[in-house]
Amino acid sequence: MGEVNSVAKNPLKVAVAGLGTVGAETVKVLQKQANLMAARYGRTIKVVAVSARSRRDRGFAMEGIDWYDDPVQMAASADVDVVCELIGGSDGVAKAVVEAALAAGRHVVTANKALLAHHGVALAKTAESKGLTLGFEAAVAGGIPIIKALREGLAGNTISRVYGIMNGTCNYILTTMRESGRDFADVLADAQRLGYAEADPSFDVDGVDTAHKLSLLTSLAFGTQVNFDSIHIEGIRHVSATDIAFAEELGYRIKLLGIARKTASGGIEQRVHPCMVRKDEPVATVEGVFNSVVVEGDSVGRSVSIGRGAGAGPTASAVVADLIDIVASRQTPTFGIPADLLEPLPVWSMDQHVGAYYIRLMVEDHPGVFADIAAALRDSNVSMEAVIQRGRSPDEVVPVVLTLHETEEVRLNDALARISAIAAVVEPPRVIRIETL
Amino acid sequence: MGEVNSVAKNPLKVAVAGLGTVGAETVKVLQKQANLMAARYGRTIKVVAVSARSRRDRGFAMEGIDWYDDPVQMAASADVDVVCELIGGSDGVAKAVVEAALAAGRHVVTANKALLAHHGVALAKTAESKGLTLGFEAAVAGGIPIIKALREGLAGNTISRVYGIMNGTCNYILTTMRESGRDFADVLADAQRLGYAEADPSFDVDGVDTAHKLSLLTSLAFGTQVNFDSIHIEGIRHVSATDIAFAEELGYRIKLLGIARKTASGGIEQRVHPCMVRKDEPVATVEGVFNSVVVEGDSVGRSVSIGRGAGAGPTASAVVADLIDIVASRQTPTFGIPADLLEPLPVWSMDQHVGAYYIRLMVEDHPGVFADIAAALRDSNVSMEAVIQRGRSPDEVVPVVLTLHETEEVRLNDALARISAIAAVVEPPRVIRIETL
């Protein structure tokens, strides 16, 4: 690659805001791959400005890099072509950095799903009105180039459903619970000790992070405005070791999925919740911190991708891919279609959801209880597929598991209300949706 | 999408050469998705010329489409922006069509892996010298946007290995053999009846089709010139039901993989052969006509994609994706890096391959035979991991299975020569490489 350096005259100048593990790794990858980039694109990608909360050695050379204490000032005034926003958070500094960069006519690359879930369409409009790129490959499943796949590689398809495992923390916890038989709180504490879960794990385990990512995939898949607020969100806190064992017995695995699909009535449902999926489904086999995204299109059929979701390397790889699109002058509207043409998401409520269900009841085991449960289901016009009751323990509290055929969620809720009113049912029913993939 | 039609003035004009299932489906998808395209890109993609061997109804409207008896003449003279070459074959008409199109200044989109495996670099140089796109997403695993992923989505990575299941016919046959216990010839005959295998199946079952595809992935992954001739190719004809059963017992599945990887000495090995892979590996779970491609990069780690490999829908989806890149003015050198900068592939021979091996011998079961086999291995400096011998049948012919620790293939061949010379070994040894993924 001898002649390459002479070609690489006019580098793409990049500022990096935020030097956590992802930010630092991004700088390192760009420094390491400079020759490869120059060979491929005739230009290097050069980090010339950085900003972070504290100034300390992060394992890369600072020669030729200006330091800024204030990332917003850097975004507004550094002499750069692109600002990488790797700070995070839906508002505050991250938003100010992105807005300042776009206002100053600089492309933006971000890994910030929360920001785009809440302000994506407005930011995309600003970027597009100025002919700028707003890249976010790193915001969803860094190890899987799924944004590009949906926006470009599968763009000739009418998409019917997109779903996946998009939070490595939850998948690690559910995998470990299944393998060890231990309960949620116990495994979460371990995950926190190992650094797989944050001190405050709520964004992950309550499904919010998955919902942020899902809102972006929905927009790309269906050409609709990002609509985080309409997502039905449930996390994994209520998934118990008992439920995981019953799932196994029924031939299922429990996964936290984000799902967006066209409904029969022309709506688009967006939901994040634990799902029972058949063990032989590809997503059922995705374990630990790995992520998976599945796209169903009219031409392509089902396309499955599996890769690391988070971590410095995969996320930096995705940031660099977006920078490469910029250096190679490949420009695409943020959400595939110009932001002005994104359609409002059709209104939809979870009551309209149609699906199959797993219900676990804790009941006092005495005669007549099951007849009461069966009557409740009948009165709600809900049809039972299977029942599991392990052993007989007269007058003790035992689990009873029901699986229901496909029904509307509004009817399920009616049945649950009737069942909860039965005196022998001593805990609130636990419900996990069975997802047919 | 009311205002869209007025925007869609200047369509991208496309000629389609070859109207088999893929060609006809491509025209149908483009006609069906015209409004979606117009909304997304402000331009429609319009088929205005077609050519095929016989003129008959293929399920799409011919209004506004000119018919050509001669596809080369169409490529040279039709008033189009892009020629889709969907005829196939490494030379002959297909090559003439692509050359005529490039000579006339038209972009080319092709599904033709054989053509690119043999003439890819020369054609890429011609295209790039004229600023034209030569798109081939459809040439490898139509249902997986792997060309774009390697060329763009993972472009910031240094790739160490790329491998996969790239021939649906072979994977269907191996899957059915395992599920049914039947032998190769029997299952192949069924696959031919069902239309999953061609009347002359040799390109598929002898590994040539997989090798064509592998040669293209190698070039994209490593920035090297396409070099089909250096690929070590073995097909699946010699895989027996017996071997599949032993694989199962040893915890493996047998898959026909195409593998390109950097070797410890800085070479790049390219090989296509049946592999034993651990059952819990993602590629082991890819069954039937599905394809899978795995990329290992320094930042991203392992990225796995699974989707339909062939068939009209997935292939048309990939053709349309390439057309969309053209309509959206996203241009990339054919093999990711300008064709003039592709490096020659370092020389490498299969003798240098280092790996583990499964060997099945058919031996007359009498005392001392195993000692002779063990001595042959010792004399070749090859180290055994495990032995399976089922039952004892004095003086009958029985299978003996050995697995070997990692060794150089040249030593393995030495051991096989010694073993074959043992009188009690009554058939040529059957060898299947064990691939550590």
Side-chain angles (χ1 to χ4, degrees):
Chain A
M1 300 189 180
E3 76 279 43
V4 157
N5 289 325
S6 60
V7 180
K9 291 251 169 58
N10 172 28
L12 186 81
K13 286 174 284 183
V14 175
V16 176
L19 293 173
T21 53
V22 172
E25 182 69 16
T26 298
V27 179
K28 283 187 250 182
V29 169
L30 289 172
Q31 290 183 345
K32 189 172 73 170
Q33 307 282 44
N35 284 336
L36 183 67
M37 300 292 148
R40 293 198 158 181
Y41 311 104
R43 279 177 89 182
T44 50
I45 301 173
K46 197 163 162 37
V47 177
V48 299
V50 296
S51 178
R53 258 184 293 193
S54 68
R55 190 164 184 171
R56 56 183 171 79
D57 181 26
R58 288 179 164 89
F60 59 81
M62 279 292 292
E63 282 95 80
I65 301 181
D66 291 332
W67 174 270
Y68 287 80
D69 287 321
D70 179 352
V72 181
Q73 193 212 326
M74 176 178 77
S77 65
D79 175 22
V80 296
D81 305 297
V82 191
V83 174
C84 293
E85 183 279 300
L86 302 171
I87 296 168
S90 63
D91 291 275
V93 179
K95 182 160 176 261
V97 164
V98 171
E99 288 173 340
L102 294 175
R106 314 186 198 301
H107 302 291
V108 169
V109 171
T110 179
N112 191 334
K113 44 264 177 189
L115 174 68
L116 294 178
H118 290 285
H119 308 292
V121 176
L123 293 171
K125 285 184 184 177
T126 303
E128 288 164 25
S129 72
K130 294 170 161 264
L132 298 169
T133 291
L134 172 56
F136 64 100
E137 187 67 67
V140 183
I144 305 171
I146 187 65
I147 304 302
K148 186 175 274 282
L150 272 171
R151 202 172 50 193
E152 304 170 29
L154 303 172
N157 285 262
T158 298
I159 307 290
S160 53
R161 179 162 63 169
V162 57
Y163 63 91
I165 296 169
M166 292 179 259
N167 184 279
T169 304
C170 288
N171 206 45
Y172 171 82
I173 291 172
L174 291 172
T175 301
T176 307
M177 286 175 70
R178 184 180 62 75
E179 288 174 350
S180 67
R182 287 152 62 208
D183 241 317
F184 173 80
D186 189 17
V187 173
L188 172 61
D190 262 15
Q192 286 171 317
R193 270 193 295 275
L194 291 165
Y196 295 158
E198 315 239 359
D200 176 359
S202 50
F203 257 44
D204 291 320
V205 303
D206 293 333
V208 179
D209 176 72
T210 300
H212 284 149
K213 293 164 179 169
L214 180 67
S215 73
L216 306 179
L217 297 188
T218 305
S219 176
L220 285 162
F222 301 109
T224 49
Q225 291 164 9
V226 181
N227 189 331
F228 174 78
D229 295 330
S230 78
I231 302 178
H232 174 88
I233 309 176
E234 295 170 41
I236 63 167
R237 287 186 199 265
H238 71 270
V239 176
S240 69
T242 309
D243 296 321
I244 288 176
F246 275 117
E248 204 70 14
E249 192 173 336
L250 291 161
Y252 296 111
R253 292 271 158 85
I254 299 177
K255 295 291 180 187
L256 182 71
L257 297 186
I259 302 167
R261 81 170 173 188
K262 279 204 182 130
T263 64
S265 60
I268 292 171
E269 57 177 30
Q270 292 186 98
R271 46 200 170 86
V272 173
H273 53 72
C275 294
M276 292 207 181
V277 295
R278 274 185 37 190
K279 267 186 217 178
D280 57 356
E281 284 292 335
V283 292
T285 67
V286 174
E287 300 280 42
V289 297
F290 275 77
N291 282 14
S292 177
V293 179
V294 182
V295 180
E296 293 171 357
D298 57 349
S299 288
V300 82
R302 181 197 278 190
S303 187
V304 181
S305 304
I306 304 168
R308 289 185 183 277
T315 311
S317 166
V319 169
V320 172
D322 278 343
L323 290 171
I324 288 172
D325 271 354
I326 294 169
V327 84
S329 302
R330 291 188 297 249
Q331 198 158 19
T332 314
T334 307
F335 295 103
I337 173 174
D340 287 333
L341 295 178
L342 294 168
E343 312 228 358
L345 200 77
V347 177
W348 170 85
S349 124
M350 197 67 192
D351 282 350
Q352 298 167 255
H353 173 66
V354 175
Y357 298 88
Y358 159 99
I359 304 173
R360 178 173 55 82
L361 307 173
M362 298 305 291
V363 304
E364 289 165 4
D365 188 12
H366 51 65
V369 175
F370 195 76
D372 292 344
I373 295 169
L377 294 173
R378 180 201 61 211
D379 294 346
S380 305
N381 207 3
V382 160
S383 153
M384 202 163 56
E385 187 194 48
V387 188
I388 304 180
Q389 189 174 351
R390 286 223 188 91
R392 305 290 305 174
S393 313
D395 296 320
E396 287 185 25
V397 172
V398 296
V400 172
V401 164
L402 315 170
T403 60
L404 306 186
H405 285 296
E406 288 215 336
T407 186
E408 286 182 354
E409 188 131 334
V410 64
R411 285 205 219 159
L412 169 80
N413 289 332
D414 183 59
L416 293 176
R418 291 175 201 266
I419 289 171
S420 299
I422 299 170
V425 174
V426 297
E427 287 181 18
R430 293 292 180 193
V431 177
I432 299 178
R433 293 178 189 83
I434 298 172
E435 200 67 21
T436 307
L437 300 179
Chain B
M1 298 188 181
E3 77 278 44
V4 156
N5 288 325
S6 60
V7 180
K9 290 250 171 59
N10 173 29
L12 185 81
K13 286 174 284 181
V14 176
V16 175
L19 293 174
T21 54
V22 172
E25 183 69 16
T26 298
V27 179
K28 283 187 251 182
V29 169
L30 289 171
Q31 290 183 344
K32 189 172 74 171
Q33 307 281 42
N35 284 335
L36 183 67
M37 300 292 148
R40 293 198 159 182
Y41 311 105
R43 278 177 90 182
T44 50
I45 301 173
K46 198 164 161 36
V47 177
V48 299
V50 296
S51 178
R53 255 184 294 192
S54 68
R55 192 164 182 170
R56 55 182 171 78
D57 181 25
R58 288 177 164 90
F60 59 82
M62 280 291 293
E63 282 95 80
I65 301 181
D66 290 332
W67 174 270
Y68 287 79
D69 287 321
D70 179 352
V72 181
Q73 193 212 327
M74 176 178 76
S77 66
D79 175 22
V80 296
D81 305 297
V82 191
V83 174
C84 294
E85 184 278 299
L86 302 171
I87 295 168
S90 63
D91 290 275
V93 179
K95 182 160 176 260
V97 164
V98 171
E99 288 174 341
L102 294 175
R106 314 186 199 299
H107 302 291
V108 169
V109 171
T110 180
N112 191 334
K113 44 264 177 191
L115 174 68
L116 294 179
H118 290 285
H119 308 291
V121 176
L123 294 171
K125 285 185 185 176
T126 304
E128 287 164 25
S129 72
K130 293 169 160 263
L132 297 170
T133 291
L134 172 57
F136 64 100
E137 187 67 68
V140 183
I144 304 171
I146 188 65
I147 305 301
K148 186 175 273 282
L150 273 172
R151 201 171 52 193
E152 304 169 29
L154 303 172
N157 285 263
T158 298
I159 307 291
S160 53
R161 180 163 61 169
V162 58
Y163 63 92
I165 297 169
M166 293 178 259
N167 183 279
T169 303
C170 287
N171 206 46
Y172 171 83
I173 291 173
L174 291 172
T175 301
T176 307
M177 286 175 69
R178 184 180 62 75
E179 287 173 351
S180 67
R182 287 151 63 206
D183 240 319
F184 172 80
D186 190 18
V187 173
L188 171 61
D190 261 14
Q192 287 171 316
R193 270 194 295 276
L194 291 165
Y196 293 159
E198 315 239 359
D200 176 359
S202 50
F203 257 45
D204 292 320
V205 302
D206 294 334
V208 178
D209 176 72
T210 300
H212 284 149
K213 293 164 180 169
L214 179 67
S215 73
L216 305 180
L217 297 188
T218 304
S219 176
L220 285 163
F222 301 108
T224 49
Q225 291 164 9
V226 180
N227 189 331
F228 174 78
D229 294 330
S230 77
I231 302 179
H232 174 88
I233 308 176
E234 295 170 40
I236 63 167
R237 287 186 200 264
H238 70 271
V239 175
S240 70
T242 308
D243 296 320
I244 288 176
F246 276 117
E248 202 71 12
E249 192 173 336
L250 291 161
Y252 296 112
R253 292 270 157 85
I254 299 177
K255 295 290 181 187
L256 182 72
L257 297 186
I259 302 168
R261 81 171 173 188
K262 279 204 181 131
T263 65
S265 60
I268 291 171
E269 57 177 31
Q270 293 186 100
R271 45 200 171 85
V272 173
H273 53 74
C275 293
M276 292 208 181
V277 295
R278 274 184 38 189
K279 267 187 218 177
D280 57 357
E281 284 291 335
V283 292
T285 66
V286 174
E287 300 279 43
V289 297
F290 275 77
N291 282 15
S292 176
V293 179
V294 181
V295 180
E296 293 172 356
D298 57 348
S299 288
V300 81
R302 182 197 278 191
S303 188
V304 180
S305 303
I306 304 168
R308 290 185 182 277
T315 311
S317 166
V319 170
V320 172
D322 278 344
L323 291 170
I324 288 172
D325 271 355
I326 294 169
V327 84
S329 302
R330 291 187 298 249
Q331 199 158 19
T332 313
T334 306
F335 295 103
I337 172 173
D340 287 332
L341 296 178
L342 293 168
E343 312 226 359
L345 200 76
V347 176
W348 170 85
S349 123
M350 197 67 192
D351 281 351
Q352 299 167 255
H353 173 65
V354 175
Y357 298 88
Y358 158 100
I359 303 173
R360 177 172 56 81
L361 307 172
M362 298 305 292
V363 305
E364 289 166 4
D365 189 12
H366 51 66
V369 176
F370 196 76
D372 292 345
I373 295 169
L377 294 173
R378 180 201 61 211
D379 294 346
S380 306
N381 207 3
V382 160
S383 153
M384 201 163 56
E385 188 193 48
V387 187
I388 304 180
Q389 188 173 353
R390 287 224 187 91
R392 306 288 307 174
S393 312
D395 296 321
E396 286 185 25
V397 172
V398 295
V400 171
V401 164
L402 315 170
T403 60
L404 305 185
H405 285 297
E406 288 215 335
T407 186
E408 285 182 356
E409 189 131 334
V410 65
R411 286 204 218 159
L412 169 81
N413 289 332
D414 184 60
L416 292 176
R418 291 175 201 267
I419 289 171
S420 299
I422 299 171
V425 174
V426 298
E427 287 181 19
R430 291 294 180 193
V431 177
I432 298 178
R433 294 178 188 83
I434 297 172
E435 200 66 23
T436 307
L437 300 180

